[in-house]
Amino acid sequence: AAAGALLRRSTGLAVVDSLAFLFEKIVRERITVLVLLDREHLTGVEDFVNRLRERGFRVLSTERCSHEGCLLVRAERGGKRGVVVLSVQGREKCIEEDLAELARLVAGERVEPEEVHEWLKARGYRVSDLVRRASVNALEEAFPALTSALKALRALAAPR
């Protein structure tokens, strides 16, 4: 429960503190984590890599995914190795921009990013309802970095 509480509260680059906690507490030798960060918290993916180093991670390698907002980082901390897949959300600022784009693609309505949660609530939708209604193509168009990250995770999990 304590781990879940720590992870839920982390926003922006503070998520790296949660990653350090995970690397300390998880029993496995190899760890794979997906991290979503809003673009407003970064000037570039290098900010994330630098924060990992500041928090005691040894970055073994970095690799771009198929989208510029996705980065696969192989790192080590405390004798444990892991892969952190970073997905930067939003075209300019935040994930609500991506949700607004999905609303446009699925419902054909223009929604301002700062109003997307009210728009969903007014229709009795949760984000998951909108995602379920979307085609794969719409999800890839609305969330290019996230779908790139999910494809990278799938490739990591594929039998070799």
Side-chain angles (χ1 to χ4, degrees):
L6 175 67
L7 297 177
R8 277 194 295 274
R9 275 182 273 202
S10 298
T11 60
L13 285 172
V15 74
V16 175
D17 296 330
S18 295
L19 288 174
F21 180 83
L22 284 174
F23 272 68
E24 288 172 17
K25 299 297 181 187
I26 290 181
V27 178
R28 292 190 206 133
E29 288 181 27
R30 299 182 82 62
I31 300 165
T32 303
V33 181
L34 172 63
V35 173
L36 279 65
L37 275 179
D38 284 337
R39 189 170 301 278
E40 66 189 344
H41 298 292
L42 304 164
T43 55
V45 292
E46 304 77 28
D47 291 350
F48 181 75
V49 174
N50 290 337
R51 182 63 65 96
L52 285 171
R53 288 186 176 115
E54 290 170 8
R55 296 297 188 264
F57 285 86
R58 187 168 73 107
V59 175
L60 305 172
S61 68
T62 61
E63 177 184 335
R64 289 279 183 175
C65 303
S66 60
H67 184 270
E68 57 89 18
C70 178
L71 186 70
L72 191 141
V73 181
R74 294 181 193 282
E76 184 177 68
R77 187 174 196 276
K80 295 177 188 166
R81 286 185 174 218
V83 176
V84 180
V85 181
L86 172 65
S87 176
V88 180
Q89 305 306 297
R91 275 108 175 109
E92 295 176 20
K93 186 177 175 189
C94 60
I95 196 168
E96 283 76 13
E97 294 165 339
D98 298 336
L99 287 169
E101 177 64 9
L102 188 63
R104 184 188 69 76
L105 293 168
V106 171
E109 294 184 45
R110 183 186 153 111
V111 181
E112 294 300 321
E114 57 276 0
E115 298 170 1
V116 72
H117 291 290
E118 290 174 17
W119 181 87
L120 288 166
K121 187 176 179 179
R123 284 151 186 77
Y125 290 165
R126 294 178 307 221
V127 171
S128 59
D129 297 324
L130 189 61
V131 169
R132 266 193 226 86
R133 291 185 59 202
S135 68
V136 171
N137 286 344
L139 291 169
E140 288 177 337
E141 187 174 336
F143 297 95
L146 179 56
T147 53
S148 178
L150 292 172
K151 289 173 185 176
L153 286 169
R154 183 173 47 197
L156 287 171
R160 299 182 193 260

